[in-house]
Amino acid sequence: MIKKIATKHYWISLLCFLVPAGLCISIYMNFKADLPQHLSDQIQLTGSLAAQDFKRTVRNNVQAIHNLAERIQETDGEYYDFWKQDAKRLLRQNESLTFVELISEEGIVKDIYPRVKNQSAIGLDITKLDYRYSDWKTKSKKGITNITQWLQLSQGGNSFLIDVPVYFDDTFDGTVTGGMNFNAEFDRLSYYLEDFAIKIEDEEGTAFYSFNNFDAAQNDPQYIFDTSMVMDSDIEESWHFQLTFADPTIFADKLKVANLALGFGLLLSLCIGLLQFFNSNSRIATKEALETNKKLQLVNTALEQQTENAKLASVAKSEFLSNMSHEIRTPLHAIVGITDLIDSGNTNFEEEHYLELLKKSSKTLLNLINDILRLDRIESGFVDVAHIEFSPASVLESIVSFHNQIIEHKGLDLSLKVNSSKSKTALGDRAKFEQIITNILSNAIKFTNSGSILVIYDEKEVNEQIDLKITIKDTGIGIPKEKISQIFERFIQLDTGTRKKHSGGGLGLAIAQHLTQLLNGNIEVTSEEGKGSEFIINLKFDCLQAPTEKREEHFKRALPELNILAVDDNKLNVVILSQLLKKIGLCTDIAYNGTEAVEKAKAKNYDLIFMDIHMPDIDGFEATRQIKSTQKNTIVMGLSADTTLNSINEGMSCGMSTYLTKPIDKNKLIAVIEDYFGSTSRNVV
């Protein structure tokens, strides 16, 4: 017979409902009170950043006109003979720039580029245009750049006119004027602001740009960012910039989500109360069952031992899951927390500090996953042992040097002692050798809080093999005697549970042990708790008896004869590249622009083309497309000082096999050519 549930259990269940329900209501009220300020802060931050981006775009385009005017002034007018070529380049590089014209000191449009589209503007006398001539004359005489209001042009269309005065020996010689329409570039900037509406007006109040139908957006002044865009201290005009939420019902929508969350929270609170009630009922039933089970203890004696074994397995499993949960959740918590902080719109946090924490947390999580995958791959047998030339002593010195910064940060002493007068060259798996040393040295650093770490390198040659003995001795926390036999098992750590002091997944030593066994070596360990540990790594590699050929000499001997074309509009860059290639035994043809490169590629089958990006006539991207359309087997390598992600992506999409950045040194040049044309390479077009 089930016992009656006591009254106190009803009260406890009611309390389990009221506490979380009250918490949900409190959070809801705070959210509702803070929502207006949160939305206002979001608008102010987004508007400020967007206004800066728009302002920077305008400045960049205006600066292009400035640069042309400065080149004319610096050459005392001789550059007038070349201004059209420069104007053509400016129009290609600056999307908002629609034309460039020269206006004389008398206010007559002398010439314009492009001429065909703007023929009707040539000879225009702006002195007859009251809305134009006054500002042009006044500001040009002062040497000030002038930006007009949004104008309807004589040759059709609308544009802003940017007047940059030209002076020779303090004498005004007219202006270089550019026609600009920023709508396309502004649309690209606005692409990531799909939840917002934007309107920009010129100094006369004429709206020349609108995004997401600003007039139909929400109109509460509290959620409108309003500022004047002053272009530069040298430019007196300013534009009126406004940004707001595109959704006119954004406040109500967010409040609706909060209402749904509140409803869900109250429902969850009710579920908690009911669960507590049913749990009380269940405990009563369980108690009665336990009383009944006592009578069966004699029968279950044989099963208890099996139950105990299952408990031990469960403890081991729980300990592993707890450790992995901690190691994975710790960096994930930092990543999610910092992301929420950035997304909150708070402008007072230390952005560089949090971004560095975000980067470190991401690397910690990645390293843990890499260790798990690496160990799984080793244990699955999918590991090959390489045989390449390397100097174990030099590799060890590099690893020790790499860890100096961490050592200095912890205030430890790290020393390396090499017991070999002349380090020998070995044939073996350098990567696995590096991984073994790195894992054990990192382990020593992690568990040493004070004192020193000593690395000793011994080598001797026996029967054309190099016997290596690398000792890593630290003054760290040491290893209890009962755990020395377990430290090379995966997921085993000295400290576990909620009070563990050292991070990690317990995989480093396990990986080092597996790799050492793959290389037919072993690791010896001696340690005393509280005084430190000593790891001795014993390995053998084949000894390289004869000196190897230098990489460059091998490269010259092994590389086939290649037809190479270097394309760059800068003659100095072409000379440097051709000389580098000449030093490694390769001859080069030269092209100074994209058109010439395409013509030479049609006339001759080239194995390799080094292609500059920014060139007159046609750029490197278009030249590559035309060449690859007919010469599919030609390897085209982009070579440019432009390292932006957009340029790199466009280079790869237009057919370039790789994208190199200037300046490039000889070793890097040898490496990249060897990758594509070496004896073991497979060309991929």
Side-chain angles (χ1 to χ4, degrees):
M1 180 179 179
I2 300 177
K3 295 182 179 179
K4 184 179 179 181
I5 299 176
T7 305
K8 69 175 183 178
H9 292 302
Y10 290 96
W11 287 107
I12 292 173
S13 299
L14 180 61
L15 188 63
C16 287
F17 163 72
L18 292 176
V19 170
L23 181 62
C24 289
I25 293 173
S26 176
I27 293 173
Y28 171 80
M29 297 304 294
N30 288 335
F31 174 83
K32 187 176 180 180
D34 293 339
L35 181 58
Q37 186 60 46
H38 171 74
L39 293 177
S40 178
D41 290 345
Q42 184 180 359
I43 277 293
Q44 295 303 314
L45 176 62
T46 304
S48 176
L49 295 175
Q52 290 298 322
D53 287 338
F54 280 50
K55 184 176 177 180
R56 189 182 304 112
T57 297
V58 176
R59 281 183 178 177
N60 291 341
N61 284 275
V62 172
Q63 186 60 43
I65 303 299
H66 269 281
N67 293 342
L68 177 56
E70 287 174 1
R71 284 189 282 275
I72 293 174
Q73 289 184 153
E74 289 170 356
T75 60
D76 290 333
E78 292 183 9
Y79 199 78
Y80 274 128
D81 295 336
F82 308 95
W83 80 273
K84 286 186 179 180
Q85 290 88 332
D86 211 357
K88 181 179 180 180
R89 180 180 58 80
L90 292 181
L91 263 64
R92 186 171 62 250
Q93 294 178 351
N94 299 274
E95 183 179 0
S96 296
L97 187 62
T98 58
F99 65 85
V100 180
E101 62 184 10
L102 302 179
I103 302 178
S104 69
E105 65 272 19
E106 294 85 10
I108 306 299
V109 178
K110 297 190 298 184
D111 204 353
I112 191 168
Y113 182 86
R115 180 183 289 265
V116 176
K117 296 180 181 179
N118 303 280
Q119 184 73 34
S120 59
I122 297 178
L124 179 67
D125 186 354
I126 68 171
T127 61
K128 298 178 181 180
L129 306 176
D130 295 336
Y131 63 87
R132 175 87 171 95
Y133 180 69
S134 177
D135 276 352
W136 179 86
K137 179 179 180 182
T138 302
K139 293 177 181 176
S140 294
K141 293 295 184 180
K142 293 180 181 180
I144 298 175
T145 299
N146 175 51
I147 298 183
T148 69
Q149 65 269 32
W150 185 246
L151 297 177
Q152 184 171 1
L153 303 176
S154 300
Q155 61 269 43
N158 293 81
S159 179
F160 288 99
L161 298 179
I162 315 299
D163 302 311
V164 180
V166 177
Y167 279 82
F168 300 131
D169 297 326
D170 296 330
T171 300
F172 177 59
D173 192 60
T175 64
V176 176
T177 299
M180 295 189 184
N181 187 323
F182 301 98
N183 286 350
E185 286 195 76
F186 284 0
D187 281 342
R188 270 198 299 278
L189 293 176
S190 303
Y191 178 79
Y192 299 100
L193 302 172
E194 59 181 3
D195 294 331
F196 301 89
I198 300 172
K199 182 170 74 173
I200 308 177
E201 299 173 343
D202 65 15
E203 59 179 337
E204 297 296 326
T206 302
F208 66 90
Y209 179 76
S210 179
F211 177 74
N212 267 351
N213 196 4
F214 184 90
D215 293 333
Q218 79 82 32
N219 55 10
D220 189 338
Q222 183 179 1
Y223 308 128
I224 296 178
F225 175 83
D226 194 328
T227 188
S228 295
M229 289 175 57
V230 179
M231 301 308 160
D232 196 287
S233 59
D234 188 40
I235 302 175
E236 297 179 349
E237 291 82 5
S238 65
W239 293 344
H240 185 203
F241 178 91
Q242 291 179 295
L243 179 142
T244 187
F245 291 107
D247 183 3
T249 62
I250 185 169
F251 185 91
D253 290 344
K254 288 188 175 294
L255 201 57
K256 185 184 298 182
V257 174
N259 291 335
L260 291 174
L262 175 62
F264 179 79
L266 294 176
L267 180 61
L268 185 61
S269 300
L270 178 61
C271 291
I272 292 174
L274 292 174
L275 285 174
Q276 171 59 33
F277 175 79
F278 291 128
N279 184 54
S280 298
N281 195 6
S282 175
R283 283 204 303 269
I284 294 173
T286 302
K287 185 176 181 181
E288 291 182 352
L290 289 175
E291 292 174 354
T292 303
N293 287 337
K294 288 180 180 179
K295 301 176 182 179
L296 301 175
Q297 286 182 354
L298 293 176
V299 179
N300 293 330
T301 301
L303 297 176
E304 287 181 355
Q305 185 60 47
Q306 298 180 15
T307 303
E308 185 63 24
N309 294 337
K311 286 182 179 180
L312 292 176
S314 178
V315 169
K317 176 183 177 182
S318 298
E319 188 173 20
F320 162 69
L321 292 176
S322 175
N323 182 42
M324 286 299 99
S325 175
H326 174 269
E327 294 303 326
I328 293 174
R329 286 176 182 272
T330 297
L332 275 180
H333 177 74
I335 293 169
V336 173
I338 295 170
T339 304
D340 287 344
L341 184 58
I342 295 174
D343 188 56
S344 69
N346 183 1
T347 59
N348 296 323
F349 70 97
E350 298 176 5
E351 184 174 349
E352 292 184 359
H353 172 67
Y354 284 111
L355 290 178
E356 183 63 23
L357 287 177
L358 188 64
K359 182 178 179 182
K360 289 182 179 178
S361 298
S362 301
K363 285 186 176 180
T364 299
L365 184 60
L366 180 61
N367 289 336
L368 178 62
I369 294 172
N370 282 341
D371 279 349
I372 295 173
L373 296 176
R374 185 181 292 113
L375 184 62
D376 181 71
R377 183 175 177 85
I378 291 172
E379 294 182 342
S380 300
F382 295 102
V383 179
D384 296 323
V385 178
H387 291 83
I388 62 173
E389 304 169 16
F390 73 103
S391 169
S394 299
V395 171
L396 183 62
E397 289 174 357
S398 298
I399 295 173
V400 172
S401 176
F402 177 80
H403 287 83
N404 275 334
Q405 185 176 2
I406 303 174
I407 290 293
E408 292 174 2
H409 180 70
K410 294 190 70 172
L412 304 174
D413 292 324
L414 175 62
S415 57
L416 171 63
K417 182 179 179 182
V418 178
N419 296 329
S420 175
S421 59
K422 183 178 181 182
S423 300
K424 297 185 178 298
T425 301
L427 284 175
D429 198 317
R430 170 177 176 159
K432 292 180 178 57
F433 176 78
E434 288 180 340
Q435 187 72 54
I436 294 167
I437 303 300
T438 298
N439 284 13
I440 295 180
L441 181 58
S442 298
N443 197 67
I445 296 171
K446 179 168 68 173
F447 291 102
T448 304
N449 297 320
S450 63
S452 63
I453 297 173
L454 173 63
V455 180
I456 304 174
Y457 176 85
D458 293 287
E459 73 172 24
K460 59 181 179 179
E461 183 177 349
V462 180
N463 297 328
E464 297 184 353
Q465 283 192 320
I466 302 175
D467 284 3
L468 299 182
K469 178 182 178 182
I470 298 112
T471 304
I472 300 177
K473 188 174 183 179
D474 64 69
T475 59
I477 63 175
I479 307 169
K481 291 183 179 180
E482 66 273 14
K483 287 194 174 183
I484 288 181
S485 60
Q486 303 174 13
I487 61 174
F488 291 109
E489 296 178 15
R490 62 178 185 176
F491 308 117
I492 295 297
Q493 292 186 311
L494 295 182
D495 53 340
T496 58
T498 59
R499 296 188 178 184
K500 62 179 293 188
K501 297 180 180 179
H502 302 91
S503 62
L507 297 172
L509 292 180
I511 291 173
Q513 174 81 314
H514 278 288
L515 293 178
T516 304
Q517 292 172 350
L518 279 173
L519 300 181
N520 298 318
N522 65 77
I523 302 176
E524 304 170 14
V525 185
T526 58
S527 181
E528 185 174 351
E529 190 173 6
K531 293 187 178 181
S533 304
E534 182 179 275
F535 287 74
I536 300 176
I537 307 159
N538 298 301
L539 293 169
K540 289 184 179 181
F541 293 109
D542 292 334
C543 181
L544 188 64
Q545 300 297 332
T548 58
E549 188 178 21
K550 290 184 178 180
R551 182 181 185 184
E552 185 174 334
E553 298 301 325
H554 173 76
F555 176 81
K556 291 180 179 179
R557 181 178 58 80
L559 199 67
E561 185 175 331
L562 300 175
N563 292 322
I564 300 176
L565 177 64
V567 186
D568 200 312
D569 62 327
N570 186 304
K571 293 184 178 180
L572 180 60
N573 289 341
V574 174
V575 170
I576 293 173
L577 178 58
S578 60
Q579 288 300 313
L580 279 176
L581 292 169
K582 186 175 181 180
K583 287 182 179 180
I584 58 179
L586 297 172
C587 296
T588 313
D589 293 342
I590 294 172
Y592 291 108
N593 56 59
T595 301
E596 186 179 354
V598 173
E599 292 175 353
K600 287 195 172 185
K602 289 179 180 178
K604 182 177 180 180
N605 290 327
Y606 287 101
D607 301 298
L608 173 61
I609 298 177
F610 290 97
M611 182 69 70
D612 186 24
I613 302 304
H614 299 293
M615 294 184 295
D617 197 9
I618 61 174
D619 59 27
F621 300 133
E622 180 59 28
T624 299
R625 291 188 187 95
Q626 294 186 24
I627 291 172
K628 295 292 285 186
S629 67
T630 57
Q631 307 292 332
K632 297 187 181 298
N633 294 326
T634 299
I635 300 296
V636 181
M637 296 185 182
L639 182 58
S640 174
D642 184 351
T643 59
T644 60
L645 183 60
N646 287 339
S647 294
I648 294 173
N649 289 338
E650 186 173 356
M652 302 306 291
S653 65
C654 75
M656 293 180 178
S657 298
T658 188
Y659 191 102
L660 308 174
T661 57
K662 301 174 183 176
I664 183 170
D665 60 24
K666 183 172 65 175
N667 291 330
K668 186 173 182 180
L669 196 60
I670 289 174
V672 74
I673 296 177
E674 197 170 37
D675 285 343
Y676 285 91
F677 299 100
S679 58
T680 60
S681 66
R682 286 189 295 175
N683 297 351
V684 180
V685 180

